[in-house]
Amino acid sequence: ITIFGFHIVENGREWSSPERMTNSEKIDNGKDNERTMLLYSAWSALLNGSANWDNEYVRKQLNRSGMPKGPHLENCKLNVLTKVCLDSRSENGSFPPWMMRKHSPDRYPSSRDGTILEGVYPPWIRGSDEENYPFTRKVQHDIWINQHPSNCSDPNVKFLVADWERQPNYGFGAQLVAMTGLLAIAIKEKRVLVTNYYNRADHDGCQGPDHARWSCYFFPETSPECRDRAFELMQRREAWEEGTVIGKENYTSREMWAAKIPRIWGEPWSYMQPTTEINGSLLFYHHKMDRRWWRAQAVRYLIRFQTDYTCSLLNAARHAAFGWEAARMVLAVPEDVRNEPRSEIEDIVWSDHRPWMPRPLLSMHVRIGDKAGEMKVVEFEEYMHLANRIRQQFPQVRSIWLSTEMQEVIEKTSLYPKWNFYYTKVSRQVGNMSMAAYEASLGRKTSTNYPLVNFLMASEADFFVGALGSTWSFLVDCMRNTGGKVMAGYLSVNKDRFW
């Protein structure tokens, strides 16, 4: 079985060490070690859909019904069912039951009159108001309402339909930045943004109606009813002439990439808490603060809920990185406690907690390669200097989730034995080649899936070290500043751009 680089020979009971740490914890020998390998193998097989439960050894040692749940794994199908309910109006047009976001779908009240929305904000925002950018809850609430009108067939509802940017030199980050501009235009003109072709989802991993669509990875930006209505209007000449539907061709490149920020919420960027440090000093003000604030809001909305496909990718990544440790922890719980039936607090309250990962976790994105043509690149040693500064303040930090396109960076992790490094196993660059050429060498599916996993894992980490001149680091920071992480701060190795 191979999942994100972890190779297991199940029947022969041989396991190869995952490519995840340079300073792995010592693993006990004997029976405990054997059971840990067995549980890890069983979880791997379940994720891969290839568990051989007829295997006599597996059947004797760990039967399926009694297999402990992996604390690092999500129930993707149940999560999607819940999120669909939280992202949809009812048949009578009332709002989703956001107040009941911790309940399973079968526990939602059958009648939704919309009154529960008063004072309740979107469930994809975590943390207090002080732990996010100003007005994050209010802005997410209002964007969702703009994108989900109660009646998409109302003649007053207008649409902006746009493909995602698809030039070879536009990476995932650049495509997101472009779409945040289009969403700003839609909000300002009171239009519903509808995305169409997404080239990064044009591969065999994205099936059915989600093929070549953003909805392969994340919930669509609008409702199915509005999407269908927009595509219907696109077939009518009069709808274009009357401006009921327009495309991104109606705007210049500058209008899209440097779109004017919606001002309906005032200027909340003018009183953002400074949390970005460069060269030992906090960045208190720069002339792109409005753009930084808005792009954070737009990215958070577009990535508010994951699909089953994305959830499965994250399960595989977490398992390859943290699964062994999770198995050891689970098996350390007394067997009589593990076998107790689940209670309501587990199903209703604790089920809302995010999957386990070793915390505190520091995320680091090291961008070198061809980026030297756009910004001052900094070697890995400088990133680690900032990581050690974080560790000086928080001595318990010893784990790093590392994302980089350069093989030399991975090799240098061996120079830091006091840190645990986790990273996805993928072919990386040796030498200096363009990002477009590198992604082409990986293929569309891999070149989308593995960066996306790194992006989401980075947004969940407790601390972050990156490069302010990197679009990718900027977008990770956007997710963190609208995901309850704003007070964790952001340490940057350079100050080439402020966005």
Side-chain angles (χ1 to χ4, degrees), residues 100-166:
M100 312 299 291
R101 60 185 178 273
K102 292 184 179 180
H103 289 193
S104 56
D106 60 345
R107 292 178 182 266
Y108 287 132
S110 57
S111 174
R112 299 187 292 177
D113 59 9
T115 58
I116 62 172
L117 193 66
E118 185 69 27
V120 177
Y121 293 102
W124 55 88
I125 301 301
R126 293 178 180 253
S128 65
D129 291 338
E130 292 76 16
E131 294 171 308
N132 292 287
Y133 269 169
F135 278 32
T136 291
R137 295 176 182 273
K138 172 64 175 172
V139 174
Q140 296 298 311
H141 167 281
D142 293 348
I143 294 176
W144 191 92
I145 290 177
N146 181 86
Q147 291 294 112
H148 294 80
S150 58
N151 180 10
C152 298
S153 297
D154 187 321
N156 293 318
V157 176
K158 298 182 179 181
F159 301 91
L160 166 56
V161 181
D163 290 343
W164 290 78
E165 293 295 305
R166 63 179 82 179

Side-chain angles (χ1 to χ4, degrees), residues 427-494:
S427 297
R428 288 180 166 84
Q429 293 185 41
V430 177
N432 193 14
M433 63 189 300
S434 71
M435 182 58 72
Y438 171 59
E439 290 190 338
S441 71
L442 295 178
R444 181 166 290 174
K445 183 177 179 180
T446 300
S447 67
T448 302
N449 290 356
Y450 108 84
L452 184 59
V453 164
N454 280 312
F455 180 70
L456 295 173
M457 291 295 292
S459 68
E460 291 292 318
D462 300 286
F463 301 97
F464 182 57
V465 172
L468 199 61
S470 162
T471 304
W472 194 257
S473 290
F474 166 76
L475 291 173
V476 169
D477 191 47
C478 286
M479 288 288 286
R480 295 172 59 77
N481 290 331
T482 55
K485 307 284 186 180
V486 70
M487 295 308 296
Y490 170 23
L491 272 63
S492 175
V493 296
N494 68 6

Side-chain angles (χ1 to χ4, degrees), residues 107-323:
R107 292 178 182 266
Y108 287 132
S110 57
S111 174
R112 299 187 292 177
D113 59 9
T115 58
I116 62 172
L117 193 66
E118 185 69 27
V120 177
Y121 293 102
W124 55 88
I125 301 301
R126 293 178 180 253
S128 65
D129 291 338
E130 292 76 16
E131 294 171 308
N132 292 287
Y133 269 169
F135 278 32
T136 291
R137 295 176 182 273
K138 172 64 175 172
V139 174
Q140 296 298 311
H141 167 281
D142 293 348
I143 294 176
W144 191 92
I145 290 177
N146 181 86
Q147 291 294 112
H148 294 80
S150 58
N151 180 10
C152 298
S153 297
D154 187 321
N156 293 318
V157 176
K158 298 182 179 181
F159 301 91
L160 166 56
V161 181
D163 290 343
W164 290 78
E165 293 295 305
R166 63 179 82 179
Q167 287 90 331
N169 60 319
Y170 286 165
F172 175 83
Q175 290 176 304
L176 259 180
V177 168
M179 196 54 68
T180 65
L182 289 170
L183 182 57
I185 292 172
I187 296 292
K188 287 173 65 68
E189 297 186 0
K190 294 182 171 55
R191 294 181 180 274
V192 175
L193 175 65
V194 179
T195 66
N196 200 359
Y197 179 73
Y198 181 50
N199 65 330
R200 290 183 171 271
D202 193 356
H203 57 73
D204 60 8
C206 297
Q207 301 289 337
D210 295 326
H211 181 74
R213 296 288 177 87
W214 179 252
S215 55
C216 173
Y217 291 101
F218 300 100
F219 275 35
E221 66 291 334
T222 188
S223 66
E225 294 77 17
C226 278
R227 174 182 292 274
D228 292 343
R229 175 62 175 169
F231 290 158
E232 175 192 344
L233 290 172
M234 289 178 68
Q235 308 304 316
R236 302 182 187 178
R237 180 178 177 180
E238 65 273 14
W240 289 94
E241 293 175 346
E242 295 169 358
T244 306
V245 61
I246 58 175
K248 68 180 181 181
E249 296 77 14
N250 289 67
Y251 307 95
T252 65
S253 177
R254 178 175 177 78
E255 287 176 315
M256 180 181 68
W257 287 93
K260 294 182 179 180
I261 309 307
R263 303 275 172 156
I264 57 179
W265 302 286
E267 298 183 356
W269 49 83
S270 64
Y271 48 88
M272 289 194 301
Q273 167 74 37
T275 58
T276 300
E277 182 187 283
I278 306 171
N279 295 333
S281 299
L282 281 176
L283 180 65
F284 281 87
Y285 177 81
H286 59 82
H287 67 289
K288 297 292 180 64
M289 291 180 70
D290 57 342
R291 188 174 298 174
R292 189 178 185 184
W293 176 87
W294 166 250
R295 286 178 175 175
Q297 301 297 339
V299 169
R300 171 56 61 181
Y301 175 77
L302 292 170
I303 303 184
R304 65 195 184 282
F305 288 142
Q306 301 162 11
T307 62
D308 184 31
Y309 183 69
T310 301
C311 177
S312 297
L313 292 176
L314 285 166
N315 268 350
R318 281 191 301 266
H319 184 56
F322 316 133

